[in-house]
Amino acid sequence: MKENERLFEQLGEVNEEFIVEAAPKARIRRSGIKWAAMAVAGAAAAGVLVWQTGALEKNTKKPDEGKTSHVMEFPDDGSEPEKIVSSGEIDHGGAGSYTLMANDISQIIGNNPTREGSSFTKLPVFNGVINEFGEFDKDGDGKIDEGSEEKYKELRMDELNRAASFFTDKEVWINRDDDFGIEGAAGDVRVSLYGYGNLNIDFGTPIELPDEYKIRTMNNGKTIEESEKSVQYICDKYKDLLRFDSPEASIVENYDIYNNCNTGFYAYDKSDDPLTALINYNFNSADFRTDEKQIVDDPDALENPYDGFEYSGDLAHIGTSSRLDYLEFVGNYPIISYDEAYEKLINDPEAYIWPENLPDGLKKDEIFYAGIKYERTADYKYRLPYYMFYVEVHPEREGIYKLPEGRKEYEPAYILAVKKDYMEFPDTEVAFN
Amino acid sequence: MEDNEIIALYFERSQSAIRETSSKYASYCGTIAMNILHDRSDRDECLNDTWMKAWESIPPQKPEYLSAFLGRITRNISISRWRKRSAQKRKDGETAVCIEELSECIPDGSHSRIAEDLELKDLLDRFLGELGSDARVIFMKRYWYILSVKAIADELSMSEGAVKMSLLRTRKKLRQFLDEEDIEL
């Protein structure tokens, strides 16, 4: 047996905690319908009206219908919501959970509408209606609805057809349709839809952007303001697809150790209503990527692997997140204030939801508030709001590696926003324990 | 059904242990087998072998993490099947690519001491324990679960480039780590 094969086999024997931690979450069958129904029933019993997004119907609408950017209302009759049974731990596989390297915090902080502060005392909490197998229990009786899987497949097909119809007249052919998601192609436009309504559209032939709006995912070479204009242009061009009324760009730049600058181009539907803006930021957003064409056989063999690619600056990918379509409102929950969250971050190591270990002795000038962020809990039950911070970390002090001159490294840190009085922590925290 | 209840069924030697295991873990283990073998009938046979092996192993074993316990069995059975299949034809698919990528982690071979399996496992545990959780999850998804770079990127909402870069960095770190331990594979 070759050395690499032996290494591959021995990797199979590593600590089980690492195996559980990295389990491909989207395929895990959960007993979620049971808890979803219980939570919804509980909310109803407590006198809270269950708000339906109507999204299952929305997906069947034609391209020119279905604006989503109305002011959102989450009914609140003042009664106490049911306790949330969850550890509150974040699913580590989620977005925004990575150490970022930048010259300055402004490159990575993004445009969360609550970044500059907010006055919420309560926020809505959501849970999943549809499990990873496309089954759902819409009437909340605790049983999977008969024929729900077929119905959901039909709805997903409608969504893929709708997406493809903006770019081609060709019919969508399905390549794969299983519990992981649905993937298809119409001509050289690939469309896919995964678990929680994340739609991806990839163009075999990139869509040409005007010179002034060309952007590059890697080594963009543009200012954040220029990149924002490009995103605005794309949002305007595809406004019917995105269904945004007031697109707001959010640009994030992150360097790697080879000095490449990786830019994330995001947008969400802004609103003058603070709650609608926050919900849209978290559940009604889009991301755009440009093409990257491999020009050498083995880029990893190069000193800088990204020298092995070339970029035209044209649009190769549109991703939309309509996860609220697949979620159900549980109730409005009292939340701690920003000041309380900040205090917990500084003085209460037990309060960190993630990461598990932040450096001791956090300095106030090395902590940056990024706004309120909804994250999926590790037990797959809820989307809970968290106060999100970036904390400057110092890998060179821990001997991990030396940062290039002028670079800083930031780690996201989350503090659960829902007051702990409304949480009930179960004994088991992950689906497969 | 909770894992401890399923394990209790094994200890009672109740046939329903296999039914409950299959009901809860067929998708998880099936994913692992499919990632390695890319063949539905092979996957189904691997799953049957997995349930059989679990039946033979519990008791005396009492897994702390039933998912990882079963997943490991499936992985080993699937790799063994993949090897036999690949002996008759060109090695291809994601498994072969993963193994090839791991070549970059092999020290230069100038060391005289060859690590025993147990020592190598301990070293890998130590290395993974010292990695940041993000890099570790990406590494494990690629080389334990044999997920494609695209699947990892989609699941973690990252670009494929960022996943590749993370894997590259971790492979280089692993090579450096093994090199510093003065061992040969």
Side-chain angles (χ1 to χ4, degrees):
Chain A
M1 188 185 297
K2 285 183 182 175
E3 296 155 323
N4 51 345
E5 291 180 9
R6 184 166 172 239
L7 182 59
F8 180 69
E9 285 208 352
Q10 284 304 308
L11 268 172
E13 303 303 318
V14 297
N15 188 322
E16 292 182 343
E17 288 180 15
F18 302 145
I19 300 168
V20 173
E21 178 189 45
K25 307 277 167 48
R27 296 181 181 201
I28 294 175
R29 181 184 282 278
R30 65 178 188 211
S31 55
I33 288 303
K34 197 186 291 178
W35 52 252
M38 285 167 62
V40 171
V48 179
L49 286 173
V50 176
W51 175 77
Q52 299 280 353
T53 64
L56 292 175
E57 287 75 24
K58 189 195 78 178
N59 291 339
T60 63
K61 289 180 180 173
K62 291 173 183 169
D64 57 346
E65 294 179 280
K67 292 279 187 189
T68 59
S69 187
H70 52 272
V71 171
M72 293 180 181
E73 290 178 357
F74 301 94
D76 188 351
D77 63 3
S79 59
E80 287 285 293
E82 286 284 294
K83 280 195 172 182
I84 295 167
V85 184
S86 170
S87 68
E89 257 186 51
I90 293 173
D91 171 17
H92 287 204
S97 56
Y98 293 90
T99 305
L100 299 171
M101 204 191 295
N103 297 327
D104 184 82
I105 187 68
S106 64
Q107 288 182 287
I108 64 169
I109 199 80
N111 252 350
N112 188 314
T114 57
R115 203 184 80 198
E116 302 298 331
S118 58
S119 57
F120 298 121
T121 55
K122 285 184 175 182
L123 280 176
V125 163
F126 305 95
N127 68 17
V129 176
I130 299 164
N131 70 13
E132 288 79 357
F133 293 84
E135 303 157 332
F136 56 84
D137 169 29
K138 195 128 193 271
D139 56 14
D141 66 356
K143 294 177 186 167
I144 302 291
D145 295 355
E146 195 174 335
S148 64
E149 194 169 355
E150 289 70 28
K151 176 70 177 164
Y152 180 50
K153 280 185 178 177
E154 194 181 309
L155 292 168
R156 292 195 304 181
M157 266 309 297
D158 284 349
E159 191 154 346
L160 289 195
N161 280 319
R162 176 185 178 275
S165 70
F166 285 91
F167 306 98
T168 177
D169 293 331
K170 292 193 167 66
E171 192 181 344
V172 174
W173 290 86
I174 298 303
N175 304 323
R176 168 182 178 171
D177 185 1
D178 57 25
D179 44 290
F180 189 67
I182 183 167
E183 297 174 351
D188 68 349
V189 177
R190 286 184 291 133
V191 281
S192 55
L193 185 66
Y194 296 105
Y196 296 98
N198 293 326
L199 174 73
N200 295 311
I201 309 167
D202 294 280
F203 309 110
T205 306
I207 294 175
E208 191 171 346
L209 296 174
D211 285 347
E212 66 269 36
Y213 296 126
K214 283 190 190 299
I215 44 176
R216 289 171 180 80
T217 304
M218 193 57 77
N219 298 324
N220 187 30
K222 297 211 168 180
T223 64
I224 285 183
E225 289 73 24
E226 288 170 331
S227 298
E228 285 174 344
K229 284 180 184 168
S230 297
V231 169
Q232 288 288 352
Y233 169 81
I234 297 168
C235 287
D236 288 344
K237 188 169 177 183
Y238 298 110
K239 63 182 179 183
D240 288 335
L241 168 70
L242 300 172
R243 295 184 282 211
F244 290 170
D245 281 344
S246 309
E248 171 85 354
S250 185
I251 308 295
V252 174
E253 295 181 334
N254 170 33
Y255 288 89
D256 66 23
I257 55 170
Y258 301 98
N259 214 26
N260 297 301
C261 183
N262 192 337
T263 304
F265 304 95
Y266 306 99
Y268 72 98
D269 199 6
K270 200 181 178 187
S271 170
D272 291 335
D273 175 59
L275 180 58
T276 303
L278 175 64
I279 297 300
N280 277 345
Y281 179 82
N282 282 279
F283 298 108
N284 187 21
S285 61
D287 74 282
F288 311 101
R289 292 178 213 152
T290 57
D291 61 325
E292 67 177 29
K293 186 178 168 192
Q294 192 171 322
I295 52 174
V296 299
D297 285 342
D298 184 10
D300 286 349
L302 303 175
E303 192 173 339
N304 179 352
Y306 277 98
D307 289 342
F309 295 86
E310 66 179 13
Y311 313 89
S312 72
D314 292 326
L315 186 63
H317 168 94
I318 296 176
T320 67
S321 140
S322 301
R323 289 170 293 173
L324 202 59
D325 295 357
Y326 299 82
L327 300 177
E328 200 149 35
F329 171 62
V330 176
N332 288 303
Y333 284 77
I335 61 167
I336 60 173
S337 67
Y338 164 81
D339 288 339
E340 288 172 292
Y342 187 85
E343 175 66 21
K344 283 177 184 287
L345 181 70
I346 297 279
N347 293 323
D348 184 4
E350 297 296 315
Y352 299 154
I353 288 300
W354 197 77
E356 289 169 7
N357 296 301
L358 279 172
D360 293 332
L362 293 176
K363 294 179 182 170
K364 289 188 177 181
D365 62 353
E366 293 181 343
I367 297 173
F368 306 91
Y369 180 49
I372 295 172
K373 186 96 176 4
Y374 276 79
E375 293 287 350
R376 184 167 69 184
T377 55
D379 46 26
Y380 294 90
K381 294 182 182 178
Y382 295 100
R383 305 301 180 279
L384 296 180
Y386 298 82
Y387 286 97
M388 183 186 176
F389 298 86
Y390 279 108
V391 176
E392 188 177 341
V393 294
H394 301 276
E396 70 279 9
R397 289 183 198 160
E398 296 163 38
I400 299 172
Y401 52 81
K402 191 174 185 306
L403 286 169
E405 188 68 28
R407 293 280 148 69
K408 296 172 182 173
E409 192 152 297
Y410 301 93
E411 175 107 38
Y414 294 85
I415 300 290
L416 181 63
V418 175
K419 287 188 174 176
K420 289 206 168 167
D421 295 348
Y422 293 85
M423 302 288 298
E424 185 176 323
F425 300 105
D427 294 334
T428 53
E429 296 178 349
V430 292
F432 291 102
N433 54 354
Chain B
M1 184 177 276
E2 294 295 322
D3 284 354
N4 55 2
E5 295 173 289
I6 296 175
I7 292 168
L9 291 174
Y10 278 102
F11 274 80
E12 291 164 12
R13 305 313 287 162
S14 165
Q15 293 283 339
S16 59
I18 293 179
R19 189 176 64 244
E20 293 297 338
T21 304
S22 171
S23 167
K24 187 169 181 181
Y25 289 110
S27 174
Y28 172 74
C29 292
T31 298
I32 297 168
M34 199 67 179
N35 288 348
I36 295 168
L37 294 162
H38 307 286
D39 184 285
R40 283 176 192 270
S41 63
D42 278 353
R43 175 197 63 186
D44 293 344
E45 285 182 32
C46 278
L47 286 183
N48 285 334
D49 290 350
T50 300
W51 312 146
M52 191 56 68
K53 183 82 179 166
W55 179 255
E56 290 168 358
S57 308
I58 314 172
Q61 293 196 60
K62 191 175 183 184
E64 188 179 355
Y65 297 97
L66 186 57
S67 63
F69 178 85
L70 295 168
R72 198 198 305 276
I73 294 174
T74 306
R75 187 179 188 270
N76 288 340
I77 291 171
S78 301
I79 289 172
S80 173
R81 184 176 284 258
W82 177 82
R83 274 193 208 294
K84 282 181 196 156
R85 209 174 62 181
S86 302
Q88 287 137 28
K89 59 182 181 183
R90 183 174 164 269
K91 288 184 180 179
D92 54 11
E94 210 66 51
T95 310
V97 177
C98 281
I99 292 173
E100 190 56 38
E101 286 174 2
L102 286 172
S103 304
E104 295 169 30
C105 307
I106 309 300
D108 61 14
S110 60
H111 309 293
S112 54
R113 198 165 62 83
I114 295 176
E116 300 291 334
D117 282 352
L118 197 57
E119 184 186 8
L120 185 53
K121 176 212 174 304
D122 287 344
L123 285 172
L124 288 170
D125 276 341
R126 221 175 78 209
F127 172 75
L128 290 169
E130 289 172 6
L131 268 185
S133 62
D134 304 329
R136 181 171 61 236
V137 165
I138 292 171
F139 187 81
M140 288 291 286
K141 280 184 186 299
R142 179 71 177 144
Y143 300 114
W144 206 96
Y145 287 100
I146 332 292
L147 286 174
S148 69
V149 169
K150 182 177 188 316
I152 297 170
D154 286 337
E155 191 184 325
L156 302 186
S157 300
M158 298 169 70
S159 71
E160 289 183 44
V163 172
K164 283 181 195 167
M165 191 57 67
S166 172
L167 290 170
L168 177 68
R169 286 165 71 167
T170 306
R171 289 197 301 266
K172 285 185 175 175
K173 278 184 190 173
L174 178 55
R175 180 185 171 135
Q176 189 182 352
F177 177 84
L178 294 174
D179 210 26
E180 286 170 2
E181 291 296 325
D182 276 346
I183 59 125
E184 192 174 327
L185 292 173

